[in-house]
């Protein structure tokens, strides 16, 4: 483990401002400050501003779930990464819900990555294959295409700083929600790092943080976190439950202590 373990909660399109605020106060009560863990909350866009005033920034960081790639313009209804600068530390980009529900293309994801970095926000790039693609033996090709296109305009230093979440679409609760076998995921993490190394060198490949996402909960989080190349987890449904989410953070910390003592 090179850096702090990253635990990201994606609240998707759930919780209004009051409900988000309540969840934040519960998380504050139940999550202790751990120097080895970075906890990131991704509430709806509307809740980001009020929550930013409520959180202890030593304990939690904020992430957007998406934003528009132009910094400003006539795109009515959109919010740009430029507008989020200073408010969030991270932004999720290319989430499968965006790719599937909104038809987000590889090129749009690439442009969002560039806009995100341009505005000093660290991308959490989501990549992953669908069930059909997996069955057709296309997992590597899909990961390769999603990754290489998304990183096109970034420098090695920018790539070193980013977060890549491997989220097989079939494992996400919103879609098929099939539980993956944790040990099977290690191959994908290695493949992702190998691709980064081929494009940006060993330093970037070592530094880039690779997360797992797909129906992770307090029962199985540790099984993913203990994989050699897993730097953290991106949690959807279970992050809406403060007990589950706090427990995941706690397990990550216990695992790090165990690793240190081994
Ligand atoms: C997600 O939204 O990125 C996700 C992984 O969701 P879930 O944990 O609910 O499958």
């Amino acid at each position: 483990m090179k850096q702090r373990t990253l635990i990201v909660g994606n609240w998707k399109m759930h919780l209004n401002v009051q409900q988000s605020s309540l969840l934040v106060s519960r998380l504050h009560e139940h999550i202790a400050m751990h120097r080895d863990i970075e906890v990131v909350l991704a509430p709806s866009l509307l809740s980001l501003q009020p929550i930013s005033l409520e959180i202890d920034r030593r304990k939690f960081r904020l992430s957007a779930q998406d934003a528009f790639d132009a910094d400003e313009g006539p795109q009515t209804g959109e919010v740009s990464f430029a507008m989020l600068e200073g408010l969030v530390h991270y932004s999720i980009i290319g989430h499968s819900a965006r790719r599937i529900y909104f038809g987000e293309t590889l090129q749009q994801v690439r442009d969002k990555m560039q806009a995100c970095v341009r505005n000093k926000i660290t991308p959490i790039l989501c990549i992953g294959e669908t069930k059909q693609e997996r069955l057709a033996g296309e997992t590597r090709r899909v990961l390769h295409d999603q990754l290489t296109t998304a990183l096109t305009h970034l420098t090695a230093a920018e790539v070193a700083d980013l977060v890549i979440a491997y989220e097989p679409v079939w494992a996400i609760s919103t879609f098929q929600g099939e539980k993956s076998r944790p040990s099977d995921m290690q191959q994908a993490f290695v493949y992702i790092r190998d691709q980064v190394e081929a494009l940006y060198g060993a330093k970037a490949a070592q530094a880039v943080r690779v997360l797992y996402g797909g129906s992770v909960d307090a029962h199985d989080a540790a099984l993913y976190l203990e994989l050699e190349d897993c730097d953290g987890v991106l949690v959807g449904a279970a992050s809406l439950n403060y007990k589950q989410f706090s427990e995941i953070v706690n397990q990550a910390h216990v695992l790090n202590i165990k690793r240190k003592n081994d």
Side-chain angles (χ1 to χ4, degrees), residues 1-7 193 206-212 225 227-233:
M1 188 63 52
K2 309 144 299 244
Q3 315 189 46
R4 298 200 292 165
T5 305
L6 200 53
I7 311 289
R193 260 187 231 286
Q206 254 199 350
V208 72
R209 288 163 291 171
V210 182
L211 313 185
Y212 176 75
L225 289 167
L227 296 172
E228 200 182 328
D229 278 277
C230 184
D231 297 309
V233 284

Side-chain angles (χ1 to χ4, degrees), residues 149-170:
T149 318
L151 307 187
T152 307
H153 297 305
L154 305 189
T155 65
E158 288 163 347
V159 170
D161 192 43
L162 69 84
V163 179
I164 299 172
Y166 172 52
E167 300 207 298
V169 176
W170 47 271

Side-chain angles (χ1 to χ4, degrees), residues 10 12 95 167 171-174 213-216 234-238:
N10 174 17
K12 314 188 194 191
H95 191 275
E167 300 207 298
I172 296 182
S173 66
T174 319
S215 302
V216 172
L234 201 169
V235 185

Side-chain angles (χ1 to χ4, degrees), residues 8-11 23 27 216 235-242 244-245 248:
V8 184
N10 174 17
W11 299 356
L23 180 55
L27 293 174
V216 172
V235 185
S239 72
L240 297 168
N241 177 318
Y242 73 89
Q244 287 261 349
F245 194 66
I248 293 171

Side-chain angles (χ1 to χ4, degrees), residues 16-213:
N16 62 24
V17 174
Q18 282 98 327
Q19 291 164 331
S20 300
S21 187
L22 187 64
L23 180 55
V24 165
S25 71
R26 292 257 189 277
L27 293 174
H28 260 302
E29 285 163 24
H30 288 82
I31 293 179
M33 192 125 52
H34 298 300
R35 282 153 66 122
D36 58 316
I37 311 281
E38 188 177 340
V39 182
V40 178
L41 308 177
S44 82
L45 202 52
L46 192 63
S47 299
L48 281 172
Q49 179 75 42
I51 285 184
S52 75
L53 305 174
E54 292 165 19
I55 55 165
D56 178 343
R57 285 180 182 244
R58 290 167 305 169
K59 216 184 221 187
F60 301 118
R61 279 183 160 162
L62 288 179
S63 172
Q65 296 177 10
D66 180 47
F68 196 75
D69 59 274
D71 287 348
E72 62 170 273
Q75 293 82 0
T76 305
E78 292 293 331
V79 168
S80 68
F81 290 102
M83 291 167 178
L84 294 171
E85 190 189 335
L87 180 62
V88 297
H89 192 93
Y90 293 99
S91 178
I92 295 172
I93 296 183
H95 191 275
S96 55
R98 302 288 322 166
R99 297 184 197 257
I100 292 169
Y101 295 144
F102 301 94
E104 214 162 89
T105 63
L106 295 178
Q107 289 68 27
Q108 281 171 312
V109 171
R110 175 198 64 199
D111 294 345
K112 288 186 177 194
M113 291 290 287
Q114 201 182 5
C116 188
V117 169
R118 180 170 72 234
N119 288 293
K120 304 179 189 65
I121 297 169
T122 303
I124 301 174
L125 170 68
C126 296
I127 58 174
E129 78 289 357
T130 62
K131 176 104 190 223
Q132 289 99 307
E133 288 162 344
R134 188 169 191 85
L135 292 175
E138 291 178 345
T139 301
R140 286 182 168 218
R141 182 199 51 81
V142 172
L143 296 183
H144 175 269
D145 292 354
Q146 291 181 343
L147 200 58
T148 49
T149 318
L151 307 187
T152 307
H153 297 305
L154 305 189
T155 65
E158 288 163 347
V159 170
D161 192 43
L162 69 84
V163 179
I164 299 172
Y166 172 52
E167 300 207 298
V169 176
W170 47 271
I172 296 182
S173 66
T174 319
F175 301 104
Q176 283 96 349
E178 269 177 47
K179 284 279 185 186
S180 64
R181 202 145 24 120
S183 55
D184 289 350
M185 301 298 105
Q186 170 65 14
Q187 305 171 27
F189 300 147
V190 171
Y191 181 73
I192 290 167
R193 260 187 231 286
D194 284 351
Q195 292 304 302
V196 173
E197 179 164 356
L199 291 165
Y200 294 94
K203 224 167 126 189
Q206 254 199 350
V208 72
R209 288 163 291 171
V210 182
L211 313 185
Y212 176 75

